[in-house]
Amino acid sequence: MGMINMNNILIFDKKDMEYNIDKDTNIYHFSINSSSNILINIVKEGVTLNYYYNNINYDDNSFNLNIKHMVSNTYSNVFNHGVNVCSNKLKYKVDSIVLKDSYKCKCIQDSKIINLGDGNSTIWPNLLIENYDVVAEHAAYIGKFNDSDLFYLMSRGISKNSAYKLLLKGFLVNNDIEGIDDFIREIDRMEV
């Protein structure tokens, strides 16, 4: 475990990680059919953490994320997007933790899982707040893509399979990030 000295971190298929964040940081975490346990400690005042987790799931897997606000005036924005492809289980457990002596923190969680098959997905968005001077919000969605989005793309002559792939890329690839070619190829290989 060490101090992070970068603004942007790119992670692929890591099982267990622990980081101390001491400057504004964006973490882009991509996973194909794996489970992860992540612990992130925000250890310096005024720091913002943006965490983007994107996964494609074929088997029973779980993602556990703990973000601890160890000091005051810290901010965490957590965006978890997953696609459960088959009839399997995908579980997200996301804990935002603000300690008693940490004031004026902000914790935002947004977790979404798209089920392409008959999978069983679960999201536990936990806000474990020991201080009243905190802003904490969470949102969770489990379901399918909007039928009207699929209809619109298909009405423009795009096949159903290609329409799904376009929606998957828009859902799972947050920004123009270099180095995620294997992840994009996995989306292209999918038969929906």
Side-chain angles (χ1 to χ4, degrees), residues 116 145 150 159-169 192:
L116 296 180
F145 283 124
L150 279 170
S159 71
K160 185 175 183 178
N161 191 44
S162 295
Y164 265 108
K165 288 178 185 180
L166 285 171
L167 291 172
L168 287 168
K169 286 178 183 175
V192 184

Side-chain angles (χ1 to χ4, degrees), residues 171-189:
F171 180 65
L172 293 171
V173 182
N174 327 69
N175 295 309
D176 189 21
I177 301 169
E178 291 185 23
I180 61 168
D181 297 336
D182 288 342
F183 194 79
I184 292 172
R185 275 192 290 277
E186 184 67 27
I187 295 170
D188 288 336
R189 279 194 290 271

Side-chain angles (χ1 to χ4, degrees), residues 147-159:
D147 287 337
S148 64
D149 293 339
L150 279 170
F151 175 78
Y152 176 81
L153 292 170
M154 292 172 63
S155 72
R156 301 300 183 255
I158 298 171
S159 71

Side-chain angles (χ1 to χ4, degrees), residues 29-66:
H29 185 173
F30 293 90
S31 171
I32 300 172
N33 204 38
S34 66
S35 294
S36 298
N37 293 299
I38 313 298
L39 172 60
I40 299 175
N41 300 307
I42 304 175
V43 298
K44 185 174 180 186
E45 285 197 28
V47 166
T48 297
L49 168 68
N50 297 308
Y51 190 95
Y52 303 92
Y53 178 69
N54 301 285
N55 80 312
I56 300 170
N57 191 58
Y58 297 103
D59 298 319
D60 292 350
N61 284 298
S62 62
F63 171 66
N64 299 303
L65 173 64
N66 288 286

Side-chain angles (χ1 to χ4, degrees), residues 4 11 70 72-73 80 123 149-150 164:
I4 301 301
I11 302 166
M70 307 293 282
S72 297
N73 298 305
N80 304 304
I123 300 172
D149 293 339
L150 279 170
Y164 265 108

Side-chain angles (χ1 to χ4, degrees), residues 17 24 27 43 69 75 78 82 85 89 123 128 132 153 168-169 173 181:
M17 296 183 309
D24 291 348
I27 297 178
V43 298
H69 293 254
Y75 310 93
V78 178
V85 179
K89 295 179 183 176
I123 300 172
L128 308 171
Y132 289 109
L153 292 170
L168 287 168
K169 286 178 183 175
V173 182
D181 297 336

